[in-house]
Amino acid sequence: INAEYMGKGQKPVGVADLVRLYDLLVQNAADLLAIPGVEDDPALGPHHNARLLSFRATRLLWKAEAIGDAAAAVAMLTLAERLVSDAFLALRDGGETTDVEALGAAVRTAKCQARASACAADARAEAAVEAGAAALA
């Protein structure tokens, strides 16, 4: 996909670029909520709070994908799961939850994959230790 939209001399979009983009979105959403009266408005407050939480969760999702440590990725995705849950609760009284539900599904899938990677890494490390102990015996 990147090759279709890139011009000459442009680098492909990487995960780090997406994390930086979501950093900006999180900051802009937080700035919007800091405007007096926005958070207290029953029509605007929950919607923008849910958006901020969703941006934070998506940022963690991309950051977990970029990190090489599966255990750290699981920790990030657990936090992202909580943020998605909070976003869903913020919208429970009449907001559109389809995007939040899709984000929740993506976070849960990534968390399962990260847990599987962590388990596989632990099994490889344990097998290496056992092989080393057998070689010494």
Side-chain angles (χ1 to χ4, degrees), residues 87-102:
F88 188 77
L89 289 174
L91 293 173
R92 74 174 177 253
D93 296 328
E96 177 60 41
T97 60
T98 306
D99 292 339
V100 176
E101 290 171 9

Side-chain angles (χ1 to χ4, degrees), residues 118-132:
C119 288
D122 287 345
R124 284 191 301 272
E126 189 174 314
V129 168
E130 289 175 4

